[in-house]
Amino acid sequence: MAVVASPPAEGLGAWLDQVVAEDSLELLPQLPAESIDTVFWDPPYFLQIPPAKGRRLKRWKVQTEVVGVQDTWDQFGSFAEYDAFIQSNLEELRRVLKPEGTLWVIGTYHNIHRVGRLLQDLGFWILNDVVWVKSNPMPNWLGVRFTNAVETLIWAVREKEAKGYYFDRKLAQAYGGSSTAPSVWYLPICTGKERLKTAEGKKLHSTQKPEALLERVIGISVPPGGVILDPMAGTGTTGAVAKRLGRHFILIEKEPAYVEAARQRIAKVQTDLFTK
Ligand SMILES: C[S@@+](CC[C@H](N)C(=O)[O-])C[C@H]1O[C@@H](n2cnc3c(N)ncnc32)[C@H](O)[C@@H]1O
């Protein structure tokens, strides 16, 4: 697909195409209102997982060990505290989006329903809930319920009445393998060479998303040359794919180790689209 970069939005200046080392609630209020085309938000899940107490979970067949999300950034004192955190961020994300701008938020059954209710209450209009079916999901512990093999991406427009939100229908049809562009995406989780590692060879980040997922999100919903904002960017998946696809990005991440990894990752992406 030929991508022609248009001039970046005015007023975003110093933050454009950067990974900003900051708390989202410190940086978002500094961004101009109605300046962003698309938001991709992968917030903490608030998984509430207790320590494993010596149990070790192995993947079926391959027997590699499963390491879950036990990071401090995923911990909150209560649902009320989590909801307040989500709501404050959503209010700012809504302010910085253009009226026809759209927001993607990804989550699991632990959090996505809470986030969905809050964003509806703030006035976002849900366009779809896209289901990402993982071809290689985490196994469950005890076999007492279904293996959770999906994540949900809510896609919502800021203003219900706003005309002209960006949707590349042909690309959505191509990814969906059908003229109806179905809202179910089958993709593996991020593994192998794509997964960023520490010097010791461990996963750098517990929830790095696959680039193939962001390729769909960005290709379908960010206008060429437009700006995507990821306020909790982790390893910088959104920035790496945006750069490759000729979109501008602003990433925010508060953990210095992830910021550094994301900057290095994005620097390696080759593109001449911004200079055409
Ligand atoms: C689910 S992960 C995002 C993973 C990312 N999509 C990727 O592909 O690597 C959520 C991230 O949000 C960051 N985070 C949590 N609260 C934050 C805040 N208030 N401001 C900025 N970043 C935050 C965490 O450090 C974590 O890296």
Side-chain angles (χ1 to χ4, degrees), residues 125-138:
W125 182 252
I126 295 181
L127 298 166
N128 284 115
D129 54 346
V130 172
V131 180
W132 166 26
V133 182
K134 300 171 181 177
S135 49
N136 50 352
M138 299 256 280

Side-chain angles (χ1 to χ4, degrees), residues 125-264:
W125 182 252
I126 295 181
L127 298 166
N128 284 115
D129 54 346
V130 172
V131 180
W132 166 26
V133 182
K134 300 171 181 177
S135 49
N136 50 352
M138 299 256 280
N140 63 14
W141 285 101
L142 300 170
V144 294
R145 55 176 159 162
F146 299 107
T147 295
N148 181 41
V150 303
E151 292 201 29
T152 300
L153 296 102
I154 295 176
W155 186 39
V157 63
R158 186 189 124 171
E159 301 294 341
K160 180 182 177 186
E161 310 303 339
K163 298 272 180 296
Y165 62 84
Y166 187 79
F167 175 60
D168 187 332
R169 183 163 60 97
K170 287 212 167 92
L171 194 58
Q173 289 168 330
Y175 280 131
S178 157
S179 59
T180 59
S183 60
V184 182
W185 295 350
Y186 297 88
L187 293 168
I189 61 172
C190 182
T191 55
K193 284 195 183 141
E194 192 183 323
R195 191 99 203 195
L196 300 196
K197 306 275 185 348
T198 63
E200 295 76 39
K202 297 232 159 67
K203 283 189 290 189
L204 176 74
H205 195 292
S206 54
T207 69
Q208 181 181 338
K209 296 298 176 295
E211 292 199 0
L213 186 78
L214 270 299
E215 270 167 30
R216 294 184 182 207
V217 164
I218 293 171
I220 289 169
S221 72
V222 188
V227 182
I228 183 164
L229 166 69
D230 183 337
M232 300 186 188
T235 58
T237 313
T238 302
V241 177
K243 185 175 174 188
R244 184 150 51 76
L245 296 183
R247 271 68 167 185
H248 291 282
F249 59 86
I250 297 174
L251 306 190
I252 310 170
E253 169 57 53
K254 68 174 184 178
E255 299 288 337
Y258 302 152
V259 171
E260 189 49 37
R263 285 178 178 161
Q264 288 181 16

